[in-house]
Amino acid sequence: MSDPATRAADLLKEHRESIDRLDAILVFTLAERFKHTQSVGRLKATHELPPSDPAREEQQITRLKDLAKKADLDPAFAENFLNFIIQEVIKHHEKHQS
């Protein structure tokens, strides 16, 4: 049997490996999301639609906050995270229109 410090170090290593895998999933998921939003930005530019859609953004924030509650994640954090992503998407959409 191992001593408590060794066991704690092993558990810490396992948690960190899981966190690293989840970080990779997040990065690849965000990359996929942004590929789609880039396509949306080009479509909006082609059809002279505004880069921002406040009604859609509100729907998404409400939906994400609900998902966060179900996942036991702080809804305010989820909202802040989505707002950050939305702002990045709008910047990309504005670039397509210039």
Side-chain angles (χ1 to χ4, degrees):
M1 188 178 284
S2 64
D3 67 90
T6 302
R7 180 69 184 133
D10 290 343
L11 288 171
L12 183 61
K13 182 178 183 252
E14 289 174 20
H15 285 299
R16 287 179 172 165
E17 288 170 352
S18 291
I19 289 167
D20 291 349
R21 285 190 300 276
L22 291 165
D23 285 346
I25 290 168
L26 285 171
V27 168
F28 281 97
T29 300
L30 284 171
E32 186 67 21
R33 188 186 196 286
F34 276 97
K35 287 175 190 170
H36 287 282
T37 61
Q38 290 288 351
S39 295
V40 168
R42 287 189 292 276
L43 184 64
K44 285 181 173 185
T46 299
H47 296 283
E48 299 179 357
L49 298 170
S52 176
D53 184 346
R56 164 86 174 147
E57 293 158 19
E58 267 310 306
Q59 288 174 337
Q60 287 300 93
I61 288 169
T62 299
R63 186 177 78 78
L64 196 69
K65 286 170 69 174
D66 184 52
L67 289 171
K69 288 176 192 172
K70 290 175 183 173
D72 198 26
L73 178 68
D74 179 7
F77 171 79
E79 181 177 8
N80 289 338
F81 181 71
L82 186 59
N83 278 326
F84 172 76
I85 291 173
I86 289 169
Q87 293 309 308
E88 288 300 308
V89 168
I90 290 169
K91 285 181 203 174
H92 293 167
H93 290 186
E94 289 170 343
K95 287 180 185 175
H96 286 294
Q97 294 192 353
S98 37

